[in-house]
């Protein structure tokens, strides 16, 4: 059904909450990732919940609170290297495993996240 959003197909609010929780549980302990985060994990997780809801075609929660996502601009204060993009994606893949998100909808969500993660790269590896 083309009228059913990816958000609904994965299971809506409950699934998005589970996914971001499982994701940051991994980011928080990933040696390449945790040092560049501000450390307010509750707020980071909340923003990602608002964003992913909107990204997957659910209610526009992120924009209601923060305006246009401009995701690449919002990442400029943080050095996102190719290595960190791969680390981010590996945490997300494992989070999808953790919550048992499977099937075609997983593949669809994954492809969009891979594209977005690569788009966020703003720093060369050697500039570290
Ligand atoms: C914010 C890192 C990719 C969505 C952030 C922050 C960091 C970060 C350090 C600041 C956290 C905070 O302000 O609480 C990274 C790294 C990535 C990556 C290393 C590797 C490619 C992505 C992707 C998405 C995303 C692919 C979306 C699918 C967000 C959102 C915020 C955020 C929505 C909050 C923006 C704001 O309101 O300030 N990210 N990120 N990030 N990230 Fe990422």
């Amino acid at each position: 059904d083309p009228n059913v959003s990816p958000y609904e197909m994965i299971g809506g609010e409950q699934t998005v909450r589970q996914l971001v929780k499982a994701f940051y549980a991994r980011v928080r302990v990933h040696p390449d990732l945790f040092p560049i985060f501000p450390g307010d994990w509750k707020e980071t997780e909340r923003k990602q919940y608002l964003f992913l809801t909107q990204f997957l075609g659910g209610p526009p929660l992120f924009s209601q609170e923060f305006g246009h996502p401009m995701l690449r601009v919002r990442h400029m204060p943080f050095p996102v290297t190719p290595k960190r993009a791969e680390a981010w994606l590996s945490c997300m893949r494992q989070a999808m495993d953790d919550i048992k998100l499977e099937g075609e909808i997983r593949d669809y969500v994954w492809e969009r996240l891979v594209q977005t993660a690569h788009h966020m790269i703003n720093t060369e590896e050697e500039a570290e």
Side-chain angles (χ1 to χ4, degrees):
D1 182 348
N3 297 313
V4 177
S5 65
Y7 172 77
E8 291 170 273
M9 285 173 67
I10 65 168
E13 172 172 351
Q14 197 195 340
T15 306
V16 179
R17 286 199 190 281
Q18 287 174 351
L19 183 63
V20 296
K21 194 171 180 218
F23 175 65
Y24 286 108
R26 293 184 176 277
V27 170
R28 268 204 307 271
V29 297
H30 196 296
D32 296 327
L33 294 176
F34 80 79
I36 68 161
F37 277 79
D40 184 351
W41 294 103
K42 210 175 160 202
E43 182 62 5
T44 296
E45 190 173 316
R46 193 180 75 85
K47 284 179 171 174
Q48 189 64 272
Y49 165 74
L50 299 175
F51 180 80
L52 285 179
T53 296
Q54 169 168 343
F55 182 79
L56 296 172
L61 302 181
F62 186 89
S63 291
Q64 279 170 12
E65 187 166 340
F66 298 107
H68 192 287
M70 301 183 301
L71 215 51
R72 197 165 193 282
V73 174
R74 290 185 199 265
H75 282 77
M76 282 305 181
F78 311 102
V80 181
T81 59
K83 191 179 176 188
R84 288 202 177 101
E86 291 317 310
W88 191 103
L89 286 167
S90 86
C91 289
M92 183 56 79
R93 185 169 29 73
Q94 293 176 78
M96 288 177 166
D97 289 345
D98 291 339
I99 71 158
K100 300 184 170 52
L101 183 61
E102 283 158 1
E104 273 180 51
I105 190 62
R106 172 183 170 130
D107 299 339
Y108 168 83
V109 172
W110 174 252
E111 284 310 319
R112 287 196 53 205
L113 291 174
V114 169
Q115 285 177 15
T116 307
H118 289 154
H119 186 59
M120 290 308 124
I121 296 170
N122 56 26
T123 305
E124 295 302 318
E125 221 66 78
E126 52 274 13
E128 284 290 279

